[in-house]
Amino acid sequence: SCGRILFASDGDAPRNVAEAPDRDNPKTGISRFSAEELMLVDLQADTREGAIVALAKAMEDNKFIANADNLVSQALERESILSTAVGEGLAFPHVRGVEGGGLTLAMGVSEKGIDWDGEKVNIVVLSAIPLAAAAFYLRLLSNLIQTFTKDANRKLLLDSKNAASLWKALCKSTRATVK
């Protein structure tokens, strides 16, 4: 037996840890990192802080992370160093070193736009990145930026009317880039 392996109790564990994987229906593509429950179509935020809080709360409420307040404070600390807005109405706030779950993405869409350090942002993707996935995340982020800099893919997301249609648009637009 190995004394170096630690086991978490399933009670408060994030969903990615507490649920047994479905071996008959393995997840592929973007569904490995997100879910329909993490899609916020009508993101009601005027500031980057408000957007990050709403997305982190969705992650916590759906048991993808254990502590939304910690994620928010770390994301805002990261934002104070350098904005994660990348142009084209996109922002990718993220926190590395999150433990107790897998790589998780939550997406919010704001029709009116959010002030993000003087830029107008309509699509926000908040990421919680465990240490083990830090290197992989850079490739994933690059693929997401590549996908959403295309007008047609952004339009699919912005035209979504509910979480189900946003999830479907996300899966469709990332099918070729997120494997």
Side-chain angles (χ1 to χ4, degrees):
S1 76
C2 180
R4 294 180 289 171
I5 298 175
L6 300 176
F7 295 93
S9 67
D10 290 346
D12 293 330
R15 177 175 170 166
N16 293 6
V17 176
E19 288 184 358
D22 183 358
R23 306 260 185 242
D24 295 330
N25 189 15
K27 293 182 177 184
T28 59
I30 198 75
S31 66
R32 293 179 295 157
F33 316 113
S34 193
E36 185 178 326
E37 301 88 19
L38 300 179
M39 303 292 111
L40 303 181
V41 176
D42 190 19
L43 189 57
Q44 295 296 314
D46 296 324
T47 63
R48 65 182 180 183
E49 292 85 359
I52 290 170
V53 166
L55 293 169
K57 182 167 176 19
M59 286 180 172
E60 183 180 54
D61 290 349
N62 290 289
K63 300 196 184 303
F64 281 86
I65 62 169
N67 187 343
D69 293 336
N70 188 34
L71 185 68
V72 168
S73 66
Q74 289 183 32
L76 292 175
E77 184 178 324
R78 164 68 179 83
E79 285 292 327
S80 71
I81 296 169
L82 182 64
S83 174
T84 57
V86 295
E88 304 287 338
L90 301 166
F92 292 89
H94 56 277
V95 175
R96 294 183 197 185
V98 176
E99 292 306 322
L103 175 61
T104 304
L105 305 174
M107 175 182 280
V109 176
S110 170
E111 188 175 331
K112 67 180 178 175
I114 300 165
D115 178 29
W116 208 281
D117 282 346
E119 283 190 55
K120 181 182 173 188
V121 169
N122 299 95
I123 300 169
V124 181
V125 179
L126 176 64
S127 305
I129 310 150
L131 286 174
F136 169 75
Y137 171 73
L138 294 175
R139 187 175 61 197
L140 177 63
L141 178 62
S142 172
N143 290 342
L144 289 173
I145 291 171
Q146 175 188 358
T147 299
F148 298 127
T149 54
K150 296 178 181 168
D151 291 336
N153 291 333
R154 279 194 320 279
K155 184 170 176 19
L156 270 176
L157 300 178
L158 294 171
D159 289 346
S160 298
K161 300 299 180 204
N162 56 42
S165 64
L166 181 57
W167 177 244
K168 186 176 178 181
L170 176 63
C171 291
K172 180 179 179 181
S173 61
T174 59
R175 189 170 292 135
T177 55
V178 179
K179 307 244 183 208

